[in-house]
Amino acid sequence: MAIKLIIFLLFVIIFIKSSNAANYNVITYGAKPDGRTDSTKPFLKAWASACRSAKASTIYVPKGRYLIKAAEFRGPCRNRVTLQIDGTIVAPTNYWALGNSGYWILFIKIDRLSVIGGTFDGKGAGFWACRKSGKNCPAGASSITFNWANNILISGLTSINSQQTHLVINSCNNVNVRNVKVVAPDQSPNTDGIHVQASTGVTITGVTLKTGDDCISIGPGTRNLFMNNIKCGPGHGVSIGSLGKDFNEDGVQNITLLNAVFTGSDNGVRIKSWARPSNSFVRNVLFQNLIMNNVQNPIIVDQNYCPNNQGCPRQSSGVKISQVTYRNIKGTSKTPEAVTFDCSPTNPCRGIRLHDIKLTYMNRAATSSCKNIGGTTFGVVMPKSCL
Ligand SMILES: *[C@@H]1O[C@H](CO)[C@@H](O)[C@H](O)[C@H]1NC(C)=O
């Protein structure tokens, strides 16, 4: 009797599940897991079906390699969509094929999307070589971009060798990035790991970023960004900025980075702004529990950015930096100067707090330098604070 009841309940559960979810396998739409056949159209057709489904839907990408050209996955969709990827998405080897749009895989104007698993291979090497050679090259593409997307989960994804930034989160709300891996060579140009801008409520946890530019870069208009359990290096560290390139620019506020390990990276935590007039700002930032392993600039604020010395009339940044706390930051610096605060002469940094810092250079005390800064220290601060 009990067994019959259990079997009956199982059927009920299966029935409810199948009636509340729709499944779309890209293979049934003609995708070929051979890494050679262009599967862009089948993927877009599967997307169109899932997106118009009244029920929550799942698009399934089985194991195998799928060649996808520049593709735009556009919302709004009628219900939640999950993209479950067991395979590898491969960009065309010929970098001209991605055109000049700046995108490879673009998710745009979507509410409630989960991207689970998957490896995205941007095949960037050819594009980087083109740039290096000084030849005529296309604009280059970010591998995965989310524009105007809300309530997004990105979990278990791996991105390798993007032409440019691996993962871009732009003009989004409530985005959860977890267990993501980024891999590109140390010297690959502009291959930032994750770039966030004009977005509120982005959470990045448990990510490993090995790349040629910033591990995480934080652009204008980023609010309530929470990062925890981050591994960075090689790469250029976690960077707020560059900010203040434009005069009218939305600032960055309420940024938290906890439990990060930087290994052999150019920077640890950096705040960078152009030495130009601007009404932008950075405020309420917490960097806590960080380990630096042989990092060139473990802690740096650089408000003097002005490549080629062009367009910086008074060499002074309008970006106002305030309420930045550095707490429990330990490890080794690759250069003698482990802490650098080069703040704006016209807009000095304010409310900078150093709390339990211990950074050494070749087993000796490192140094620190301060320009135009106000703040306080707590606990042990080594190198000796210049605040
Ligand atoms: C600051 O960001 C955190 C997420 O890191 C969020 O929970 C909190 O509500 C934000 N605070 C304010 C004042 O918006």
Side-chain angles (χ1 to χ4, degrees):
M1 196 57 207
I3 286 176
K4 275 189 182 162
L5 187 62
I6 288 166
I7 290 171
F8 173 71
L9 285 175
L10 267 175
F11 273 106
V12 169
I13 289 165
I14 289 166
F15 176 73
I16 290 171
K17 272 205 90 156
S18 62
S19 63
N20 279 331
N23 287 296
Y24 304 91
N25 186 326
V26 293
I27 300 287
T28 51
Y29 289 84
K32 294 273 182 291
D34 61 8
R36 283 180 291 119
T37 312
D38 183 359
S39 292
T40 314
K41 284 213 174 100
F43 270 62
L44 290 173
K45 279 188 201 150
W47 173 263
S49 301
C51 194
R52 22 166 218 273
S53 166
K55 300 180 216 163
S57 59
T58 298
I59 301 166
Y60 180 58
V61 181
K63 281 211 170 77
R65 294 171 68 79
Y66 302 84
L67 175 64
I68 303 289
K69 297 193 173 154
E72 193 178 296
F73 298 93
R74 182 174 278 273
C77 299
R78 286 177 70 194
N79 206 326
R80 173 179 294 282
V81 176
T82 300
L83 184 51
Q84 171 81 48
I85 310 172
D86 285 341
T88 299
I89 314 295
V90 189
T93 308
N94 179 353
Y95 46 83
W96 288 101
L98 295 185
N100 276 317
S101 71
Y103 307 118
W104 174 32
I105 307 292
L106 174 63
F107 296 98
I108 182 165
K109 297 198 172 159
I110 303 168
D111 187 20
R112 293 177 298 170
L113 169 66
S114 301
V115 179
I116 314 288
T119 299
F120 291 74
D121 183 350
K123 298 262 175 191
F127 176 70
W128 310 328
C130 178
R131 287 189 48 175
K132 220 175 201 164
S133 72
K135 278 193 297 209
N136 177 28
C137 313
S142 297
S143 275
I144 308 156
T145 303
F146 290 81
N147 277 346
W148 296 289
N150 300 330
N151 307 310
I152 304 297
L153 171 65
I154 303 160
S155 174
L157 177 154
T158 300
S159 176
I160 63 178
N161 297 336
S162 177
Q163 287 186 359
Q164 305 227 42
T165 303
H166 287 260
L167 173 60
V168 176
I169 296 164
N170 178 30
S171 304
C172 296
N173 283 297
N174 187 24
V175 178
N176 195 335
V177 179
R178 58 165 107 109
N179 299 325
V180 161
K181 251 172 87 182
V182 165
V183 187
D186 195 357
Q187 298 301 328
S188 53
N190 300 116
T191 53
D192 295 43
I194 303 173
H195 178 70
V196 182
Q197 70 171 39
S199 296
T200 300
V202 177
T203 298
I204 301 173
T205 51
V207 300
T208 301
L209 308 160
K210 303 179 181 194
T211 191
D213 205 314
D214 294 338
C215 287
I216 300 177
S217 60
I218 300 157
T222 303
R223 285 168 196 221
N224 307 354
L225 169 62
F226 182 81
M227 299 165 280
N228 187 13
N229 197 359
I230 310 290
K231 290 196 179 78
C232 166
H236 294 181
V238 170
S239 189
I240 298 178
S242 309
L243 298 179
K245 187 173 185 191
D246 297 322
F247 183 80
N248 280 311
E249 187 185 273
D250 199 2
V252 169
Q253 60 180 306
N254 189 15
I255 308 298
T256 306
L257 171 65
L258 305 180
N259 306 313
V261 179
F262 296 85
T263 305
S265 51
D266 287 17
N267 304 294
V269 285
R270 171 169 67 170
I271 301 175
K272 180 177 169 192
S273 77
W274 285 73
R276 289 160 60 85
S278 174
N279 61 11
S280 193
F281 60 84
V282 177
R283 61 182 170 235
N284 297 335
V285 178
L286 173 62
F287 296 119
Q288 183 167 312
N289 304 343
L290 313 184
I291 295 171
M292 304 288 170
N293 296 317
N294 202 28
V295 172
Q296 283 182 33
N297 306 297
I299 295 176
I300 180 165
V301 172
D302 172 12
Q303 293 208 264
N304 252 316
Y305 183 59
C306 194
N308 308 319
N309 276 317
Q310 272 170 8
C312 308
R314 275 166 287 131
Q315 201 62 57
S316 153
S317 175
V319 176
K320 290 154 210 64
I321 299 175
S322 63
Q323 310 305 326
V324 182
T325 299
Y326 300 86
R327 185 164 188 179
N328 188 28
I329 300 182
K330 311 229 149 102
T332 56
S333 174
K334 195 178 177 179
T335 63
E337 191 174 294
V339 178
T340 306
F341 291 110
D342 187 1
C343 297
S344 165
T346 46
N347 295 282
C349 298
R350 299 196 184 285
I352 307 300
R353 287 185 210 91
L354 291 172
H355 195 152
D356 294 330
I357 310 290
K358 191 177 173 212
L359 294 164
T360 58
Y361 167 65
M362 293 177 73
N363 295 320
R364 294 191 300 270
T367 63
S368 60
S369 89
C370 288
K371 276 186 207 145
N372 312 311
I373 183 170
T376 38
T377 64
F378 305 83
V380 177
V381 173
M382 200 183 102
K384 204 164 131 41
S385 165
C386 54
L387 287 179

